[in-house]
Amino acid sequence: MQYLSLAVGLGLGLTGLSAQAATEYTGDKVQGIQVISKLDVSDLAVGQHRFMVETVETGTGQRWYVPVMVAKGAADGKKVLLQAGVHGDELNGVRVVQQVMAQLKPAKMKGTVIGVIGPNRSGIERVSRTWAISTSGGEYVDYNRVQPGKEFGTAPQRQAWLMWNNVYKGNVDVAIDYHTQSTGAAYPLFIYADYRNPEVPTIAELFPADQIKKDPGEPGSVETTFIESGIPAITVEVGTPRLYENDMITRGIRGAQNVLIHYKVIDGKIEDTAQSRKTYIGNEMTSIGAKTGGFAEILVKIGDDVKKGQKVAIQRNAFGDVVAEYTSDKDGKVLSIGTDVTREPRALLVRLLSINPAESCNKGC
């Protein structure tokens, strides 16, 4: 697959991906932090930098600001993006990015690391997966399905366009986008990775993940848009939404550090990887959703091995009567479970990751 050819029609002008104007300062400050409208890491001095990036207008004409950290190394090297908060209720990655950035020593680095916190400003302020649009009475949009955006689109589309053209463009060689499961469900440390890109398997397997899915990507996501423009990227799902989990954060940090060591951005020893963790790598994901409403009891745990025909969940009505039972239609490993007891029709109960030998990478790995 020729990834660069897929960039045509993205609306990014990705043919000029390596070109970037100088950092543009607005002259404003927000809480003492300099405001910029465009980032160019090449014109920054060696060291740690903090910016507020001026982005999309609100309905009153004010602006959202995205916090961006840059660690500029003393020598040239890879430019690595660490991002969290594309979905506003998925927050473990925020602490990962903060800690990785704080530990970097630019004078000893070769390359640049960029940390972006909460590009989905609407979602992260509301602790919600979606971006809330107020036009015409209101609408909720998945910000991770509108990439790379539109210059004169809706607010989330314009926000995506501004981030791609004013922050990512020309500043990123490798991208790690941190997420968690959505509210009401839970993941282990899990990675979506498009193994058709030659660098992605290495990047993904440098993380001490519990599970990895060889995945063709999701149109409109940050990860897939980078991949389609020839930049290796992965989506790292770091556990449970809306809270900090120390083990998940620690492993998310270790994975990022391993990637930086691999690309010689920092010195160190690569340790605690997919190989040492004996990470389960699959290529097929199956979601078992509720057929009716009711109070759900999940009978399996994340990481459990499940056999075809095994009962994995039941639902009861308000009187305690069983109204539905759910079994797996294949062998696999439990990847995700619904954590909310009440489940409406189609809500997630159990998600399995499995290995399908018949699937080829051309069909999605």
Side-chain angles (χ1 to χ4, degrees), residues 319-330:
F319 299 99
D321 304 321
V322 174
V323 294
E325 297 184 340
Y326 302 88
T327 60
S328 174
D329 63 359
K330 62 186 64 179

Side-chain angles (χ1 to χ4, degrees), residues 137-317:
E139 182 181 354
Y140 298 98
V141 174
D142 188 339
Y143 181 72
N144 206 32
R145 297 296 182 270
V146 301
Q147 311 296 318
K150 296 179 180 179
E151 184 176 5
F152 301 109
T154 63
Q157 289 172 335
R158 179 160 167 74
Q159 176 79 356
W161 188 91
L162 289 167
M163 291 300 297
W164 279 95
N165 286 274
N166 295 343
V167 178
Y168 309 143
K169 187 177 179 181
N171 293 317
V172 179
D173 298 321
V174 178
I176 300 172
D177 195 27
Y178 286 98
H179 291 249
T180 71
Q181 247 293 19
S182 302
T183 296
Y187 267 142
L189 185 60
F190 165 61
I191 297 175
Y192 287 104
D194 191 337
Y195 271 47
R196 297 171 298 180
N197 180 290
E199 290 187 62
V200 163
T202 298
I203 297 169
E205 293 175 32
L206 284 168
F207 275 76
D210 296 298
Q211 302 182 49
I212 296 173
K213 182 176 187 287
K214 299 178 181 180
D215 188 75
E218 191 73 38
S221 69
V222 170
E223 175 202 343
T224 296
T225 308
F226 272 119
I227 289 284
E228 289 175 342
S229 59
I231 295 172
I234 60 173
T235 299
V236 183
E237 306 278 359
V238 197
T240 304
R242 301 175 72 94
L243 52 81
Y244 280 165
E245 297 171 291
N246 289 334
D247 173 63
M248 294 290 176
I249 291 168
T250 297
R251 288 196 280 153
I253 292 169
R254 181 70 259 175
Q257 291 171 335
N258 284 344
V259 171
L260 296 178
I261 293 167
H262 169 75
Y263 284 112
K264 303 187 186 305
V265 177
I266 63 174
D267 294 327
K269 180 181 179 182
I270 292 175
E271 53 189 7
D272 200 9
T273 64
Q275 182 177 12
S276 63
R277 285 272 171 172
K278 299 182 179 179
T279 299
Y280 182 84
I281 302 176
N283 61 355
E284 187 171 79
M285 197 162 64
T286 304
S287 295
I288 301 170
K291 298 175 183 177
T292 183
F295 299 83
E297 182 178 353
I298 309 301
L299 306 177
V300 292
K301 301 186 299 297
I302 291 173
D304 282 354
D305 292 317
V306 170
K307 297 295 183 183
K308 182 178 180 179
Q310 180 177 337
K311 189 185 297 184
V312 296
I314 59 176
Q315 275 182 295
R316 293 184 172 90
N317 62 21

Side-chain angles (χ1 to χ4, degrees), residues 74-91:
D76 291 338
K78 287 285 188 181
K79 294 171 286 188
V80 180
L81 171 70
L82 307 177
Q83 178 168 260
V86 166
H87 289 140
D89 57 345
E90 303 179 7
L91 301 175

